[in-house]
Amino acid sequence: MAKDADKTSAKRPGDRAEAIYRALRHAIIEQALEPGAKLPEDAIGERFGASRTIVRHALGRLAAEGLVELRRNRGASVATPGWDQAGDLFDIRLGIERLVVTRLAGRLTPAQIAALEAHVAEEEAARGTDERRSIRLATEFHIVLAEMTGSAVLVRYLSEVALRCGLILALYARPHSSECAVSEHRAVIDALAKGDAAAAIAVMDQHLGAVMDRALIVPRPAKERDIGAILAPYAEDAAPAAAKRARGGRKR
């Protein structure tokens, strides 16, 4: 009976929309779905076993984050930021990242430091073995830092600008360097743990500067790939995650 209840809960429209949102978000961050890739509601719904209405809700959330573009009579597609936006996006991100590390310097708890070190250990493990996951973890490191400030505003704006910077890099940059990301992230943690805000800002400036320096002016051509095949592993991951959230929601 409990298993049947879990299946029923996991199939609720809200749970389905959340699972699809998270799966598409991961696929975009990991660059499995590249900028400009079409996101047909019927194909996505078929892959996740959901209605077009549920898929539309998930796409709307992604559009609000700037990851997806919704155009009348043309459907949804992964956002394609212009090169002219790159400078502004990275300048804005740099300002927000400086504020984040200033807030955190000398204020991280031992548990938070351990969580950051565990995150970087995951980045290290993914390096050279799972490039897509490595890219996602590198971006999420910065979002985790923002979350540790306890400021919903910083989390919202850092997340949006960091993800849009990721789209810029997917379009205009040389390959991601996971080795640099790991070492620089560790240097940020070390400076924050020591309470050295100036050092943390300097490392973050250098890190983001190196990321921006990888950017090129000539975009890479989009690859024509079947969206069902792209989303297959994300759909598989989403099913157990939805069941776990359903079980957690019933605990009191």
Side-chain angles (χ1 to χ4, degrees), residues 88-245:
D88 288 342
L89 282 169
F90 274 92
D91 283 346
I92 292 168
R93 179 176 178 181
L94 188 58
I96 298 174
E97 299 261 20
R98 287 173 176 170
L99 180 56
V100 167
V101 295
T102 299
R103 291 269 185 97
L104 294 178
R107 296 183 177 88
L108 289 175
T109 66
Q112 287 176 320
I113 293 172
L116 289 171
E117 290 174 342
H119 186 99
V120 175
E122 286 190 59
E123 292 184 55
E124 179 77 46
R127 189 177 74 185
T129 60
D130 190 341
E131 192 64 16
R132 295 196 186 284
R133 186 164 180 266
S134 175
I135 291 171
R136 173 168 59 82
L137 289 170
T139 300
E140 289 178 346
F141 173 82
H142 297 267
I143 298 174
V144 170
L145 284 177
E147 290 172 344
M148 288 182 176
T149 68
S151 169
V153 173
L154 285 178
V155 172
R156 175 185 174 185
Y157 288 108
L158 190 281
S159 297
E160 181 172 336
V161 74
L163 296 176
R164 289 185 66 80
C165 283
L167 292 175
I168 289 286
L169 293 173
L171 279 167
Y172 305 104
R174 295 187 293 275
H176 162 75
S177 174
S178 54
E179 182 174 356
C180 291
V182 169
S183 63
E184 289 162 357
H185 288 173
R186 283 186 172 140
V188 169
I189 296 171
D190 184 59
L192 293 177
K194 291 177 179 177
D196 193 338
I201 289 173
V203 173
M204 188 64 77
D205 284 3
Q206 179 182 354
H207 173 47
L208 293 179
V211 172
M212 184 60 180
D213 285 344
R214 293 205 315 271
L216 304 172
I217 295 185
V218 180
R220 292 178 290 189
K223 300 175 183 177
E224 291 294 334
R225 297 174 58 196
D226 175 65
I227 190 168
I230 293 172
L231 293 178
Y234 296 94
E236 291 174 5
D237 290 342
K244 288 179 182 178
R245 284 194 295 275

